[in-house]
Amino acid sequence: MFNITQVGKILKATNRLNMPTEFNATLPITITVKKQLNPIRFLLQMGNKEVETKSYTPLEVGAKYKAEILQKDSKIEIKNLTKLPNIFNKFPDTIKYSVDDLLKDNPLESNNKYKNFLLNHLANATTKDEFLFYSQMLLAFNQEIKHLFIKDEKKALIQFKHKKRKINFYAYFESLGAIGGEIYLTDEIYLNLMVEFQNSFYFIQKYIDELNGIRVNIKQDKIKPLFEISENNSLLNLKV
């Protein structure tokens, strides 16, 4: 059994951090690689602006990346360019769940309820991408990994693996980028949090009081998804 209300406070607080009331230029931004101009020069889309820049690391045309931006005089410096995980890039536009919707319906209440939740969406998928997305979620469930999909003003995707009194998780937020760690469900909730971007690390530290009542240890580190969408995964290997 997985009681989502035990971690609801973390979901609601973290999602508020994902939606700052005003634009914060210190947060990581999303960049789209529009065109490769020569072997080391690329045309990038940053918000409403297109910017030419050098990159000695190969970039994938059409892919989206998260990065920290520093502006010095008239020059823009791009730091920590990190490709968005496939699982977030494939997030269907048809998903409309808010945190409150998930806390109310609690599809994670039991394995059967969660499996039926995915099978229902798989059967009612209206696009190929949506069908493939929920297929991958079923494959993840076969590995005891469950997903929450959130779409308020910003998108978020959260992966859980529940073991007794501990939850391993990975999350990707549209504003904050990747975060991950462990939630310990003892007499009080303890959160061991890893943040990928330095700017997100400082931003969460600044508003750590949003996680009132939760003991938090936070550090900056590289984070990998618990489950990544792959074309090599197949429903033929799925047991339901």
Side-chain angles (χ1 to χ4, degrees):
M1 297 290 289
F2 186 111
N3 188 351
I4 190 64
T5 59
Q6 293 177 301
V7 294
K9 184 184 291 187
I10 294 175
L11 287 176
K12 291 177 74 69
T14 311
N15 206 47
R16 282 199 299 273
L17 294 180
N18 190 41
M19 297 182 291
T21 55
E22 59 185 48
F23 177 72
N24 190 319
T26 64
L27 287 174
I29 70 167
T30 302
I31 294 173
T32 303
V33 181
K34 300 287 289 184
K35 188 177 181 180
Q36 184 169 1
L37 304 174
N38 62 40
I40 63 168
R41 198 162 190 84
F42 297 84
L43 180 66
L44 307 180
Q45 181 83 38
M46 297 166 46
N48 296 324
K49 297 182 180 179
E50 290 189 347
V51 178
E52 290 187 18
T53 188
K54 290 181 180 178
S55 175
Y56 293 98
T57 301
L59 302 179
E60 181 183 336
V61 175
K64 292 184 178 181
Y65 293 77
K66 209 75 177 172
E68 294 169 318
I69 304 299
L70 297 177
Q71 189 161 358
K72 297 179 179 179
D73 300 325
S74 59
K75 294 183 178 180
I76 294 177
E77 181 182 348
I78 300 174
K79 293 179 59 180
N80 299 333
L81 195 66
T82 305
K83 188 178 177 182
L84 268 67
N86 289 336
I87 199 167
F88 196 79
N89 274 323
K90 299 293 184 180
F91 197 109
D93 291 334
T94 51
I95 290 178
K96 302 183 185 299
Y97 292 107
S98 68
V99 173
D100 288 333
D101 292 333
L102 290 165
L103 293 177
K104 179 181 177 181
D105 296 336
N106 191 4
L108 304 183
E109 184 178 7
S110 69
N111 285 342
N112 283 337
K113 186 171 182 178
Y114 178 74
K115 181 173 70 175
N116 290 334
F117 167 81
L118 292 180
L119 289 171
N120 179 61
H121 283 281
L122 190 63
N124 291 286
T126 57
T127 66
K128 177 182 176 182
D129 286 342
E130 188 177 1
F131 180 86
L132 292 174
F133 182 83
Y134 284 110
S135 298
Q136 295 283 319
M137 298 307 96
L138 278 170
L139 289 166
F141 175 59
N142 208 37
Q143 299 175 27
E144 300 182 342
I145 298 169
K146 300 177 183 178
H147 288 75
L148 290 177
F149 326 109
I150 300 170
K151 191 175 181 182
D152 289 310
E153 294 176 36
K154 300 285 186 179
K155 294 190 297 185
L157 189 145
I158 306 172
Q159 302 174 329
F160 290 99
K161 189 160 187 176
H162 189 213
K163 294 183 177 180
K164 295 183 179 179
R165 304 292 290 177
K166 185 178 80 168
I167 300 167
N168 285 51
F169 76 95
Y170 167 89
Y172 203 93
F173 292 92
E174 196 166 355
S175 291
L176 302 173
I179 67 173
E182 300 89 26
I183 303 168
Y184 295 91
L185 304 173
T186 56
D187 292 336
E188 57 182 339
I189 299 176
Y190 179 78
L191 174 61
N192 184 24
L193 184 64
M194 292 183 293
V195 181
E196 189 163 34
F197 292 97
Q198 188 177 59
N199 288 355
S200 296
F201 174 84
Y202 290 138
F203 183 77
I204 292 175
Q205 275 198 324
K206 183 178 178 180
Y207 294 99
I208 202 72
D209 290 342
E210 288 282 335
L211 298 173
N212 182 37
I214 301 170
R215 294 178 58 193
V216 182
N217 175 48
I218 180 173
K219 65 178 181 178
Q220 184 187 357
D221 206 346
K222 288 291 184 183
I223 310 161
K224 291 183 178 180
L226 301 181
F227 178 87
E228 182 62 280
I229 283 180
S230 170
E231 294 180 358
N232 295 324
N233 290 334
S234 171
L235 279 176
L236 295 176
N237 299 323
L238 179 66
K239 295 179 181 179
V240 294

